Amino acid sequence: CGIGDKWEWSCSAGDGIMVKDKSKKNESLHGPSPVTTFGPKACMLQNPHAVMHIQDPASQRLTWNKPPKSVLVIKKIQDASLLQPFKELCVFLTEQKNMIVYVESKVLADTAIAGDESFGAVIQKFCTFREDLDDISNRVDFIICLGGDGTLLYASSLFQESVPPVMAFHLGSLGFLTPFNFDTYQSQVTQIIEGNTAIILRSRLRVRVVKESREKKVTNNLASAVSLVNMALGVLVQQVLNEVVVDRGPSSYLSNVDLFLDGHLITTVQGDGVIVSTPTGSTAYAVAAGASMIHPNVPAIMITPICPHSLSFRPIVVPAGVELKIMLSRDARNTAWVSFDGRKRQEICHGDSITITTSCFPVPSICFRDPVNDWFESLSQCLHWNVRKKQNYLSSEEEEF
């Protein structure tokens, strides 16, 4: 159906209601529709009864278009406790499941692995890659993480577009994002390969950092090649799973940054900084700064100040479809620093901008049971949410007093 000459409504099963401006790209009322194909062979099982863009979390299931043949195994570097699980898993995948196993080159640099003669035959079957140098986005069917939550964040950073399904084993410290126990890894991995398992789509943030100082260099040299122009502009585009943190860095002065929402200045942050997080990131740095915890299926972006010099600056939640922009205020006394999931930290100067939106490429995280039970289990086991000694029962005689 159409409304006027410029705007029209359209809807389809599973996509929700879309508002279409004929002069602009399609935008969802709940943010961008996430891509539901993960890597070259995996996709989300379509639910014919879904009539809204936001599915019942319990109905999100993983299926395979073709049987998976390759797997990326991510292991926490220089952790001796993971050597035996890593070797057991790789032997199982290569010899019993005939899988092509990808590992990072620096994992094999560990002498405890490279020097193990009994493991040499398995190493010969590995396919290796180097971060930021080799593109494996269309080679990996799914990912297995061995370690803590950081391994899942690292897996996300390796894929700047479509992410293969991720199975994370709890072999680290906290384990909020790693629901699987390694004791029964064979049956659990077999179930994943066979398909039809529960998944949760963890939304990511698409962050674009533009350095003004480098942009000026390009305007003075219009003959630069397109590739050189992008480098000279100092444009960085990054997919973030947990949070973007803008802080005052080593300076003793307050951070002073302007926060825009869809082009409108909404506030100036004066304090140690600001956290822009996904629902997944709401239980990380944000919760330590006083934010609420949001279930990963909620389409939202959380804005949390870090030690604001104000008694009324509370964390807020905004719709996933908005565009946030952060810039240094004109009267800021110092620069700011930005980091993405705790990595690639860099300085932000006057004129630089950080644009943040919800990404179309979520991380499909495989669940142990389902998205709801797994999340509350993590709240209880990892963060000890609402742990309290229960109040004693009152007898009828005590009630009279």
Side-chain angles (χ1 to χ4, degrees):
C1 55
I3 302 177
D5 294 329
K6 187 177 181 183
W7 296 90
E8 65 181 19
W9 294 86
S10 63
C11 59
S12 59
D15 290 334
I17 297 177
M18 304 283 290
V19 180
K20 182 178 180 182
D21 181 345
K22 294 181 179 179
S23 64
K24 299 180 179 179
K25 64 181 181 180
N26 290 347
E27 294 182 356
S28 168
L29 293 177
H30 300 292
S33 299
V35 172
T36 55
T37 56
F38 318 119
K41 296 177 183 175
C43 64
M44 192 166 72
L45 184 65
Q46 295 298 315
N47 182 0
H49 302 294
V51 294
M52 294 183 65
H53 170 67
I54 305 175
Q55 281 189 313
D56 174 9
S59 72
Q60 295 178 173
R61 309 289 296 181
L62 174 71
T63 187
W64 300 103
N65 293 326
K66 297 179 182 178
K69 296 295 183 183
S70 60
V71 56
L72 167 62
V73 178
I74 295 179
K75 168 190 167 296
K76 186 177 180 182
I77 305 297
Q78 302 299 328
D79 190 335
S81 66
L82 297 180
L83 291 176
Q84 190 59 34
F86 173 75
K87 293 176 182 179
E88 288 183 17
L89 176 64
C90 291
V91 170
F92 172 74
L93 291 171
T94 56
E95 297 183 359
Q96 296 191 37
K97 294 301 179 181
N98 296 317
M99 301 289 292
I100 300 172
V101 177
Y102 283 83
V103 297
E104 198 168 5
S105 298
K106 59 186 179 182
V107 171
L108 300 184
D110 191 334
T111 55
I113 295 177
D116 188 347
E117 295 181 359
S118 63
F119 195 58
V122 178
I123 293 178
Q124 295 299 321
K125 300 178 183 179
F126 285 161
C127 294
T128 60
F129 72 98
R130 295 162 298 172
E131 182 187 6
D132 296 331
L133 294 176
D134 300 318
D135 183 12
I136 58 171
S137 57
N138 291 321
R139 305 179 196 174
V140 175
D141 293 332
F142 71 103
I143 304 169
I144 296 179
C145 294
L146 303 178
D149 294 344
T151 56
L152 183 60
L153 295 176
Y154 181 66
S156 169
S157 70
L158 294 175
F159 298 86
Q160 291 301 300
E161 290 188 353
S162 178
V163 185
V166 183
M167 181 182 193
F169 285 98
H170 178 27
L171 293 169
S173 52
L174 184 62
F176 195 91
L177 306 178
T178 54
F180 288 93
N181 191 312
F182 193 77
D183 293 340
T184 55
Y185 75 92
Q186 293 190 5
S187 60
Q188 292 170 340
V189 171
T190 300
Q191 182 180 356
I192 301 307
I193 294 175
E194 293 174 353
N196 194 26
T197 58
I199 61 171
I200 182 169
L201 299 184
R202 298 186 179 277
S203 65
R204 294 196 290 179
L205 299 175
R206 182 183 184 274
V207 188
R208 188 172 187 266
V209 180
V210 178
K211 300 281 191 175
E212 187 198 49
S213 57
R214 297 180 185 178
E215 187 175 24
K216 291 180 179 178
K217 294 180 182 179
V218 178
T219 58
N220 296 329
N221 185 8
L222 299 178
S224 298
V226 174
S227 59
L228 294 178
V229 168
N230 289 333
M231 293 174 62
L233 277 170
V235 177
L236 170 68
V237 178
Q238 189 75 21
Q239 300 281 339
V240 174
L241 178 57
N242 261 0
E243 74 269 307
V244 181
V245 177
V246 180
D247 61 67
R248 60 189 176 93
S251 174
S252 59
Y253 292 113
L254 288 175
S255 174
N256 198 332
V257 296
D258 293 333
L259 179 62
F260 299 84
L261 190 150
D262 287 340
H264 301 285
L265 177 65
I266 57 172
T267 193
T268 297
V269 181
Q270 297 182 95
D272 282 352
V274 63
I275 305 167
V276 180
S277 60
T278 63
T280 294
S282 69
T283 51
Y285 193 176
V287 75
S292 296
M293 296 179 289
I294 305 176
H295 189 277
N297 273 111
V298 178
I301 298 175
M302 172 162 280
I303 302 170
T304 307
I306 306 172
C307 297
H309 199 253
S310 167
L311 296 177
S312 60
F313 195 168
R314 306 304 303 157
I316 61 172
V317 178
V318 296
V322 304
E323 179 181 88
L324 299 173
K325 188 174 184 179
I326 299 174
M327 299 182 69
L328 274 181
S329 300
R330 287 186 178 182
D331 53 354
R333 295 184 178 183
N334 57 299
T335 61
W337 290 76
V338 62
S339 61
F340 316 94
D341 284 341
R343 307 182 73 213
K344 299 187 177 179
R345 185 171 170 83
Q346 58 184 274
E347 191 173 17
I348 299 298
C349 303
H350 283 92
D352 297 348
S353 64
I354 307 168
T355 304
I356 305 170
T357 57
T358 299
S359 171
C360 291
F361 300 102
V363 173
S365 184
I366 299 173
C367 301
F368 179 68
R369 279 188 287 270
D370 61 71
V372 175
N373 281 309
D374 281 12
W375 191 68
F376 279 102
E377 182 73 13
S378 293
L379 288 183
S380 174
Q381 297 298 320
C382 300
L383 298 183
H384 303 292
W385 177 62
N386 198 28
V387 173
R388 180 191 183 276
K389 184 178 179 180
K390 289 189 176 181
Q391 191 177 47
N392 291 332
Y393 173 76
L394 283 179
S395 63
S396 58
E397 291 81 6
E398 290 175 318
E399 287 181 350
E400 293 178 0
F401 295 97

